[in-house]
Amino acid sequence: MRKAVCSGSFDPVTSGHIDIIERASRMFDEIIVCVFFNPGKGTSLFTPEERVEMLKAATAHLPNVRVTSHSGLLNEFCEKENASFIVRGLRAFTDFEYEFQRALLLKKINEKLETVFIMTNANYSYISSSGVRELLAFGGDIGKLVPANVAELIYKYHKRKTK
């Protein structure tokens, strides 16, 4: 069985994330989407539990996708899950430089792990979680940047946090 981990902070999940997960789900027997804590990204807008709920709602139509969360090292999570592949989405060349270095580091730590890069669909190349968070902070419409059921959850969570 070919298992892959698609990890990220997903703060929040975007339509671009879902596109990558959908495409990866056709390549692997099982995709484990994992919300990770990223100390380099500063304060999160949504809790890991809220992000897991958003991802579960957005991937409910994909029977071979499972959503979870983890704090720790990606290679250790892959070993625990018996997953040999890591899926990473790329929007631009700058993403490639960063992800390429991470993939080499992971390969050095565990030579059995393979990283698979999936280029974004051009329709989503401009979408980022930070852009969604910025629009949300200023009351902008995020409806075209995230799945509809996720937009509802985002508005609900954000409204609760800004009271």
Side-chain angles (χ1 to χ4, degrees):
M1 179 191 259
R2 291 184 332 228
K3 282 188 190 182
V5 172
C6 186
S7 65
S9 55
F10 302 107
D11 188 34
V13 62
T14 68
S15 296
H17 291 131
I18 299 309
D19 176 60
I20 296 295
I21 294 166
E22 287 174 341
R23 291 164 56 201
S25 76
R26 295 190 298 267
M27 298 168 64
F28 297 96
D29 300 310
E30 182 181 7
I31 300 290
I32 306 161
V33 179
C34 189
V35 173
F36 271 81
F37 169 71
N38 185 342
K41 290 203 175 182
T43 306
S44 298
L45 183 59
F46 300 101
T47 68
E49 295 79 18
E50 290 168 336
R51 289 180 270 158
V52 165
E53 186 177 349
M54 285 185 241
L55 280 159
K56 284 182 177 179
T59 60
H61 65 290
L62 300 169
N64 64 331
V65 171
R66 177 168 50 98
V67 179
T68 190
S69 65
H70 181 75
S71 62
L73 296 173
L74 176 57
N75 63 297
E76 291 174 354
F77 179 78
C78 290
E79 289 168 19
K80 181 183 101 171
E81 292 290 340
N82 199 27
S84 301
F85 300 93
I86 297 167
V87 172
R88 303 301 297 168
L90 301 174
R91 290 173 298 180
F93 188 72
T94 52
D95 287 348
F96 175 76
E97 286 183 302
Y98 173 76
E99 296 296 347
F100 182 70
Q101 287 180 339
R102 286 188 64 194
L104 290 175
L105 178 62
L106 284 166
K107 193 70 164 166
K108 185 71 173 172
I109 293 168
N110 181 341
E111 65 185 27
K112 294 178 184 172
L113 282 175
E114 296 292 341
T115 301
V116 176
F117 298 110
I118 300 178
M119 296 300 300
T120 189
N121 180 314
N123 295 329
Y124 306 117
S125 62
Y126 64 93
I127 300 174
S128 67
S129 291
S130 58
V132 171
R133 289 192 307 271
E134 186 174 335
L135 273 172
L136 191 61
F138 289 102
D141 180 11
I142 62 166
K144 292 186 174 126
L145 307 177
V146 302
N149 55 354
V150 171
E152 291 175 29
L153 289 171
I154 289 172
Y155 287 129
K156 178 178 115 182
Y157 296 147
H158 185 67
K159 185 177 180 182
R160 188 172 64 219
K161 290 172 194 279
T162 56
K163 281 187 175 187

